Amino acid sequence: MSRLAASTAILEEGRLLSQHQAALTLLQASLAIPGIVRLDWLDLACGKGQILAQLDTNLDPTARARISYVGYDLSDDYCRITASRVETLGLQKTRTLVGELQRFSQVLEENEQFDFVTLTNTVHEIEPGALAGILFDCISRLSPTGRLFAYDMEELPTAELGAVPWRRAEIDAIVAALLAGMDVKQYRPASGHWKHKKVSAWNLQVEKTHILAEAPGFATHRARSIAQATVKTHEILSQRLSDCTKTLDTLTRLGFATDAEKSQELSGLYEYWALQRALGKTT
Ligand SMILES: C[S@@+](CC[C@H](N)C(=O)[O-])C[C@H]1O[C@@H](n2cnc3c(N)ncnc32)[C@H](O)[C@@H]1O
């Protein structure tokens, strides 16, 4: 797996994205738990550290001093930018690591666990075949009371070649398959749908406590859990490819009458290419 050429991360000092605000609000509550002296935070695909844009004012110095932060990204440059931002924030400990998302768990120290894992604005860039494994490893790396916060767009404001944005219901179905494969039958994580001015998005919160309550030995089911979620992923992509092919075929034969149909043509072509690629049908 490698990064899509169109992948970029933003860095705007004065700008706090709502998804980052949501994540930081959860972090803030965890930092206020009486007796807490350290909170380990893993920021996967951290980019240029945009989530940290206003951390110096979002959280008070006492709360910040409890955070041990690890930023992880494939881009060496982005990690360097994040490292220089984070070192001024008065955190307890900071580290950035360069690597492929698919391998993040191998890059971390063997028994390292995190109270908070963030994966924001990135799932559309993940190779779909690797998604289940990455989600499983995120859950495995959570401390017993840790929480995963993931967030991404359902459609991109600017199309990116090869990107596969997911809808909330699809993410729910993949996560449900992952959990069923772990023997977690009751708990289904909280997810949400958010309509922004230009795009809609989903978020997901997975709490390790609920997984351990039902399946304390979940880690032994890694292969089964990932396999079941990967089958679901494939099923969803195949259905999307079939729908997209029908739409493009209709547009090919009948043309478009409205601006909406014209833009469907372009988004359909991007979708078609990304799905063909994800399903390994490009060669
Ligand atoms: C759109 S940016 C999001 C950055 C940040 N999480 C945020 O919310 O602002 C996506 C990030 O994912 C990283 N990325 C993309 N594919 C990756 C891969 N295969 N392994 C590791 N990082 C990857 C990119 O380098 C980029 O920094």
Side-chain angles (χ1 to χ4, degrees), residues 91-261:
L91 309 190
Q92 191 173 119
K93 224 173 148 194
T94 65
R95 192 157 52 113
T96 53
L97 297 169
V98 178
E100 283 276 0
L101 267 177
Q102 214 173 338
R103 294 194 62 255
F104 85 86
S105 195
Q106 288 146 265
V107 174
L108 292 169
E109 285 162 24
E110 202 178 326
N111 295 317
E112 223 173 346
Q113 290 200 315
F114 295 86
D115 305 298
F116 195 44
V117 174
T118 43
L119 178 62
T120 56
N121 302 338
T122 301
V123 174
H124 65 276
E125 296 186 17
I126 293 176
E127 197 184 287
L131 182 58
I134 292 169
L135 291 174
F136 187 96
D137 289 344
C138 285
I139 293 169
S140 294
R141 285 292 184 164
L142 290 174
S143 65
T145 54
R147 180 200 308 261
L148 164 69
F149 177 87
Y151 182 102
D152 205 11
M153 291 156 282
E154 290 192 319
E155 67 275 344
L156 305 178
T158 309
E160 296 174 14
L161 267 187
V164 180
W166 298 90
R167 292 161 201 135
R168 173 205 185 175
E170 295 168 345
I171 287 293
D172 280 347
I174 293 167
V175 172
L178 194 75
L179 294 180
M182 294 176 189
D183 276 345
V184 175
K185 297 187 173 75
Q186 301 289 322
Y187 175 53
R188 289 298 170 262
S191 72
H193 185 264
W194 311 96
K195 212 160 168 34
H196 298 290
K197 204 164 157 193
K198 290 189 183 152
V199 295
S200 54
W202 54 266
N203 85 303
L204 171 77
Q205 287 183 61
V206 183
E207 295 188 53
K208 182 78 164 272
T209 315
H210 305 310
I211 291 173
L212 291 177
E214 279 189 64
F218 81 94
T220 56
H221 301 307
R222 186 176 195 276
R224 184 181 70 189
S225 168
I226 293 174
Q228 290 188 10
T230 303
V231 167
K232 178 54 73 182
T233 306
H234 196 276
E235 232 173 79
I236 293 168
L237 294 177
S238 301
Q239 182 59 52
R240 273 172 63 169
L241 182 58
S242 157
D243 294 345
C244 175
T245 305
K246 280 184 202 141
T247 305
L248 288 174
D249 184 54
T250 307
L251 288 169
T252 303
R253 287 181 293 103
L254 305 178
F256 54 87
T258 62
D259 285 349
E261 281 173 1

Side-chain angles (χ1 to χ4, degrees), residues 1 3 7-8 20 45 47 73-74 78 99-101 120-121 125:
M1 187 163 102
R3 218 157 58 116
S7 165
T8 51
H20 293 161
D73 202 281
L74 189 57
Y78 289 180
E100 283 276 0
L101 267 177
T120 56
N121 302 338
E125 296 186 17

